[in-house]
Amino acid sequence: SLQNPIFQQYWGNRVELHVHLDGAIRPETILYFGKKRGIPLPGDTVEELLKYVSYDTPLTLPKFLEKFNYYMPAIAGDREAVKRIAYEFVETKAKEGVAYVEVRYSPHLLANSGVAPMPWGQTEGDLTPDEVVQLVNQGLKDGERDFHIKARSILCCMRHMPSWSPEVVELCKKYQNDSVVAVDLAGDETLKVEDYSEHKKAYEEAVRSGIHRTVHAGEAGPAAMVKEAVYVLKAERVGHGYHVVEDPELYKELLKIKMHFEVCPWSSYLTGACSPDFTKHPVIQFKKDRANYSLNTDDPLIFNSTIDKDYGIVKEHMGFTEEEFKRVNINAAQSSFLPEKEKQELLTQLYKAYGMVPNAS
Ligand SMILES: *[C@@H]1O[C@H](CO)[C@@H](O)[C@H](O)[C@H]1NC(C)=O
Ligand SMILES: *[C@@H]1O[C@H](CO)[C@@H](O)[C@H](O)[C@H]1NC(C)=O
Ligand SMILES: *[C@@H]1O[C@H](CO)[C@@H](O)[C@H](O)[C@H]1NC(C)=O
Ligand SMILES: [Zn+2]
C-alpha cells in the first residue's frame, strides 16, 4: 500500500484512538507463549492459528468473542507475555505509519490473580490487574523509545463485569501520569448501564478525578446507548457510535457539541454493526456533516488487518479524499486524551507534515 500516494503522504503521521491491545497481538507471539507455557492452541503455525482466530466475513457477536478464547489463555497471567505484547504493539503501529496511538485493554482480562471469576478458566496465579498495568506501561515506554512514536493507554471496564469497574478507575487514577490517559467501557451492549450502578459510579469517580472517558456505544446497540454514554457516563468520545444517525435529534445535538466518534470501518463490517453495503455506511453521513471522528482498526489480529485496510475501504468505497484524511487525523489529534501541551506538539507535527496552516482545517 505504500505505493499508493495517499498512504504515502500520511505515512508516519496517522493518529489512531481505538484499538484493543488484546485484539492486536502477533500470532507468532501467541504461538511462542502457548508452546513455552504448555497451553494448547488450535494450530501450530501462524496460518493454522489464523484460520481459527481471524476471519473475513461477518459473524455474530458471540462468534466474534469466541475468538479471544482461543488465544488469550496463552498470554494472560504471564509477565513476559504482557510486557512483550505492549512493546510489539508499538513496533507494529510505527510500521503502519502511526505517530500517536491510544491502545486499550482490560487489566483484569490479562491478570490471573485478584480477578473473579477467572476470565479464561486459568488456574490462579500471582499477576494482579495492577501489575498488568505496570507491565503494559513498561512495554509501551520501551516501544516509544525504540520506535520513536507516542503510545498511551486506556483501561477498559467490561459491561458484564461491573464488579471490576471500581478497580479499573482506581488504576486510571494511580497511573494517570504514567501512560494511562482514560477509562473505557467495552463488551456486550445489550447490558445497559442503568442496570449496573458500579459502572456509573466508576465513571462519576473518573469525572471527579479528571480521568478522560470514552465508551463503546451504538456499535451493536441502538442510538439510546450513545445517549446513555454521553449524558449518563459523561463520555468525551464514543467508541463506534454508528447507530446515532438513527436518532436525528440526538445526532444533531452531538454534532453541535462536536462529539468525537471512533469509527472502525472494517470492524463494523465484520461484526455486523453496519450494513455490509459500504456505500450505506454511517461514516459517509459523518463525512458529509463534517463530524468529529477518527479511523481505527479495533482488533487487527482478529480482522487480519492493518490501518491501511480501513483507509483503503473508505477511499475505495466511500469517496474519501486526501483532504478528508487530513481532517480526520487532525480531529483525532485534537480529540486525543493527551495533556494540552503534548497535544499541541502532535498537532504541530501533523500540520507541518500535511503542509497545512493551523486553524485552516
Ligand atoms: C490475511 O491477510 C493477508 C493479506 O492481507 C492474506 O494474504 C491472508 O491470506 C489473510 N489470512 C487469513 C487467515 O485470512
Ligand atoms: C498527575 O499530574 C497532575 C498534574 O501535574 C497532578 O495533579 C496529579 O496529582 C498527578 N497524579 C498522580 C497519580 O501522580
Ligand atoms: C473534535 O473535538 C476536538 C476536541 O474537543 C475539537 O478540538 C475539534 O475541533 C473537534 N472537531 C470537529 C470537526 O468538531
Ligand atoms: Zn472496540
Side-chain angles (χ1 to χ4, degrees):
S1 67
L2 284 178
Q3 275 93 302
N4 184 320
I6 283 207
F7 295 145
Q8 215 158 29
Q9 172 151 14
Y10 297 99
W11 201 87
N13 294 291
R14 290 166 167 171
V15 175
E16 186 170 8
L17 302 180
H18 190 127
V19 51
H20 296 259
L21 180 61
D22 48 343
I25 305 172
R26 291 184 185 165
E28 292 86 352
T29 303
I30 295 168
L31 292 170
Y32 172 84
F33 285 103
K35 195 163 169 198
K36 183 174 175 211
R37 302 172 70 199
I39 291 168
L41 291 165
D44 294 329
T45 65
V46 167
E47 208 181 17
E48 271 172 32
L49 182 66
L50 285 183
K51 240 187 264 167
Y52 290 86
V53 164
S54 80
Y55 69 104
D56 62 5
T57 48
L59 284 182
T60 61
L61 181 72
K63 288 274 173 204
F64 164 75
L65 292 174
E66 233 170 63
K67 304 287 182 187
F68 291 89
N69 294 323
Y70 285 123
Y71 66 89
M72 283 299 278
I75 303 293
D78 188 281
R79 290 182 171 77
E80 189 192 339
V82 169
K83 189 168 150 187
R84 178 157 148 195
I85 62 171
Y87 177 79
E88 290 178 346
F89 173 83
V90 181
E91 181 179 31
T92 300
K93 287 299 153 185
K95 284 185 174 156
E96 289 179 19
V98 169
Y100 174 66
V101 61
E102 286 174 9
V103 61
R104 62 187 70 195
Y105 64 98
S106 156
H108 294 77
L109 292 180
L110 285 166
N112 66 1
S113 171
V115 258
M118 207 63 91
W120 315 105
Q122 322 96 300
T123 44
E124 178 96 24
D126 62 358
L127 182 56
T128 61
D130 188 315
E131 201 188 337
V132 165
V133 177
Q134 294 176 37
L135 289 161
V136 172
N137 290 350
Q138 193 57 54
L140 294 179
K141 271 186 225 149
D142 291 351
E144 289 187 300
R145 180 200 60 215
D146 290 352
F147 308 113
H148 315 291
I149 70 169
K150 208 186 245 301
R152 295 291 180 271
S153 61
I154 296 174
L155 304 185
C156 299
C157 300
M158 300 304 298
R159 282 193 190 263
H160 69 294
M161 288 307 304
S163 62
W164 294 349
S165 288
E167 188 179 13
V168 173
V169 78
E170 287 309 313
L171 291 171
C172 290
K173 285 160 64 179
K174 184 169 175 188
Y175 297 105
Q176 72 172 323
N177 295 333
D178 184 11
S179 286
V180 177
V181 292
V183 67
D184 178 36
L185 177 60
D188 183 355
E189 262 192 86
T190 60
L191 307 172
K192 295 182 75 165
V193 161
E194 65 188 36
D195 301 323
Y196 298 91
S197 64
E198 290 98 326
H199 294 318
K200 182 157 179 272
K201 282 194 198 127
Y203 270 70
E204 282 166 359
E205 179 59 18
V207 171
R208 268 195 299 276
S209 311
I211 303 295
H212 288 296
R213 301 159 305 279
T214 181
V215 172
H216 280 73
E219 179 187 15
M225 297 301 283
V226 177
K227 197 173 200 168
E228 184 182 73
V230 175
Y231 295 106
V232 177
L233 297 178
K234 315 281 186 219
E236 298 160 274
R237 300 195 320 230
V238 174
H240 304 280
Y242 316 119
H243 293 281
V244 71
V245 295
E246 288 157 20
D247 179 343
E249 205 165 305
L250 174 67
Y251 178 50
K252 222 167 96 189
E253 229 168 86
L254 296 189
L255 282 178
K256 208 159 99 194
I257 63 169
K258 303 181 171 186
M259 182 52 60
H260 183 92
F261 297 98
E262 303 159 355
V263 172
C264 310
W266 180 227
S267 158
S268 71
Y269 167 79
L270 288 178
T271 60
C274 297
S275 155
D277 181 353
F278 284 134
T279 65
K280 297 198 173 84
H281 200 284
V283 78
I284 297 172
Q285 185 74 39
F286 290 176
K287 172 160 74 86
K288 212 168 86 197
D289 297 330
R290 296 183 75 74
N292 192 352
Y293 65 92
S294 49
L295 294 171
N296 308 279
T297 56
D298 207 7
D299 294 290
L301 162 66
I302 297 174
F303 304 143
N304 187 31
S305 65
T306 69
I307 200 154
D308 282 351
K309 179 84 183 176
D310 294 279
Y311 279 56
I313 287 170
V314 300
K315 177 171 182 278
E316 206 170 304
H317 303 283
M318 304 182 195
F320 272 58
T321 59
E322 192 177 325
E323 196 227 332
E324 190 65 8
F325 281 122
K326 285 184 189 175
R327 206 184 70 85
V328 162
N329 279 289
I330 297 287
N331 278 315
Q334 284 169 335
S335 305
S336 73
F337 291 143
L338 281 172
E340 202 47 43
K341 182 167 165 284
E342 288 175 67
K343 189 190 281 192
Q344 289 311 322
E345 286 165 7
L346 175 63
L347 279 162
T348 302
Q349 176 186 333
L350 298 191
Y351 287 133
K352 201 170 152 207
Y354 299 168
M356 288 169 78
V357 181
N359 301 326
S361 57

